[in-house]
Amino acid sequence: IAKKAGARGISLVSAVGANSKSLNFYLKTKGMLEEEIIKLGFESTNFFQPGHLMGNKLRFDIVLADLISVIFDPFLHGPLKKFRSISARKLSQFIVHNSLQDRSGINYFDFKDFY
């Protein structure tokens, strides 16, 4: 519907590690969704693949995950760095800024791009 109305681009928050062939249900679902979005054929398709979103909700399990992220993020280096957490606010600002750019094709953004 959006494409018929003239939208030329689409942006989606996915997840680091999204893969339709993953054994993990969450990552498999995210990967399948990315594949279906690509099939829509927008001029610009942006996938934002963050790790854990900090400050997302005030629920015990999420606050606990936020705390764990603060402790372990500094130890995630090299190929593990992409799993570092990001604040929901910072990610949303990045998404708005980059979704307004005139990028054609399929674009993936992860931790290295957010900072």
Side-chain angles (χ1 to χ4, degrees), residues 2-94:
K3 193 173 179 186
K4 285 181 182 180
R8 296 178 323 177
I10 188 168
S11 294
L12 176 79
V13 176
S14 186
V16 66
N19 183 336
S20 64
K21 294 173 180 43
S22 177
L23 296 176
N24 177 288
F25 179 75
Y26 178 77
L27 296 177
K28 182 177 184 166
T29 303
K30 291 285 190 173
M32 290 168 58
L33 178 60
E34 287 183 6
E35 290 175 0
E36 293 301 315
I37 294 292
I38 290 169
K39 288 178 187 177
L40 295 174
F42 281 92
E43 289 176 31
S44 173
T45 302
N46 300 309
F47 295 113
F48 300 91
Q49 299 179 322
H52 171 69
L53 289 178
M54 294 181 64
N56 194 21
K57 293 181 183 166
L58 287 175
R59 214 173 64 200
F60 176 74
D61 58 335
I62 295 175
V63 172
L64 182 61
D66 287 355
L67 178 62
I68 291 169
S69 292
V70 168
I71 294 168
F72 285 101
D73 276 359
F75 298 103
L76 299 175
H77 296 282
L80 297 177
K81 193 171 187 175
K82 64 184 177 183
F83 294 100
R84 287 187 180 180
S85 58
I86 184 169
S87 77
R89 180 178 301 261
K90 183 170 187 143
L91 179 64
S92 63
Q93 291 170 342
F94 181 86

